[in-house]
Amino acid sequence: MDVHIYRSNDGREKSSRYVREGKEFFSLGEQTKYGALITEFKKNGDVANQFRVREHGVEDVLRRYLGIGDLEIEDVGDYKEIAVNASCSSCSKRLFRKLDRLKPEEINEVPIVPAWKCESCGEEFYSMSDEYMKVLVNSNKHLFDGKDLEEFSVNEDAFISLLQEYIIRIFASKKIKRIRIGD
């Protein structure tokens, strides 16, 4: 895989786009207060995977995650926020990833559910793709009982759909909308 890494002035490292299983992705590495945060995005800005490790050295963690040997890193100046192919459902303005407005070393809590906010009206949104939900279930099987795991193994899509319904209810009660991301 031919991947280039672009390092911004704040130390964030963003990869070029790469293809896996016929889909385009890019990754972002951020050295947070408590370790390296790696977020993999689909080309449309939706989160496909996100995890944090206690290690310091985002470069090494990103390299291992991408499965590549040496990283060619290019310094690029100011950080460019993650662009998502969506706009505010209330005012149609631009959305930004809430973590992008913090310096990496100020990030001390990483929400499991990615959070976005409207640049203009301040409306809050969450993002939870089915793909990311499957990653969360697979990496946290210890949180589910045997019946849930059996349902997941029999019909992943139906189980993920049920979890999505629960999440929608939880965030609706907090008046946080689900982001609608286009391709």
Side-chain angles (χ1 to χ4, degrees):
M1 175 168 31
D2 187 27
V3 178
H4 298 281
I5 303 297
Y6 305 98
R7 182 187 299 134
S8 58
N9 292 337
D10 64 3
R12 286 180 164 104
E13 295 183 2
K14 192 185 299 185
S15 77
S16 58
R17 287 187 180 175
Y18 51 88
V19 176
R20 189 181 71 244
E21 298 173 10
K23 297 178 185 174
E24 277 189 66
F25 300 91
F26 65 93
S27 290
L28 174 67
E30 298 167 290
Q31 190 60 60
T32 70
K33 186 173 183 178
Y34 298 110
L37 171 64
I38 304 297
T39 309
E40 182 176 52
F41 297 89
K42 297 177 190 178
K43 71 177 182 177
N44 64 3
D46 204 1
V47 173
N49 192 5
Q50 177 177 270
F51 64 93
R52 184 169 61 180
V53 295
R54 293 181 190 252
E55 294 177 47
H56 287 274
V58 70
E59 200 171 300
D60 289 335
V61 178
L62 189 56
R63 180 182 51 76
R64 284 194 312 269
Y65 179 71
L66 294 173
I68 54 179
D70 293 330
L71 291 179
E72 242 183 77
I73 298 176
E74 179 182 333
D75 290 322
V76 293
D78 292 335
Y79 174 68
K80 291 183 182 169
E81 295 179 347
I82 300 299
V84 64
N85 190 10
S87 57
C88 179
S89 58
S90 296
C91 71
S92 301
K93 299 294 183 189
R94 181 182 170 287
L95 302 178
F96 66 89
R97 180 177 160 255
K98 288 174 75 172
L99 291 179
D100 281 348
R101 298 290 168 99
L102 298 173
K103 294 178 183 174
E105 63 273 10
E106 293 174 342
I107 299 171
N108 56 15
E109 292 195 24
V110 178
I112 292 171
V113 179
W116 300 82
K117 194 169 186 173
C118 177
E119 180 100 345
S120 180
C121 71
E123 184 95 46
E124 293 194 36
F125 295 85
Y126 75 93
S127 169
M128 182 62 77
S129 68
D130 288 352
E131 184 173 28
Y132 178 48
M133 181 76 80
K134 287 177 185 178
V135 168
L136 287 174
V137 171
N138 279 311
S139 60
N140 293 286
K141 287 185 175 181
H142 63 281
L143 299 175
F144 296 91
D145 65 23
K147 182 182 174 201
D148 288 336
L149 292 175
E150 184 179 329
E151 285 180 42
F152 182 66
S153 68
V154 170
N155 189 341
E156 275 188 7
D157 292 336
F159 186 75
I160 295 301
S161 179
L162 180 64
L163 289 180
Q164 289 284 17
E165 289 177 29
Y166 292 148
I167 289 171
I168 288 169
R169 285 187 199 126
I170 291 166
F171 281 94
S173 70
K174 297 175 186 267
K175 299 186 185 332
I176 299 174
K177 298 176 182 177
R178 183 175 183 185
I179 194 173
R180 298 289 176 209
I181 301 176
D183 290 333

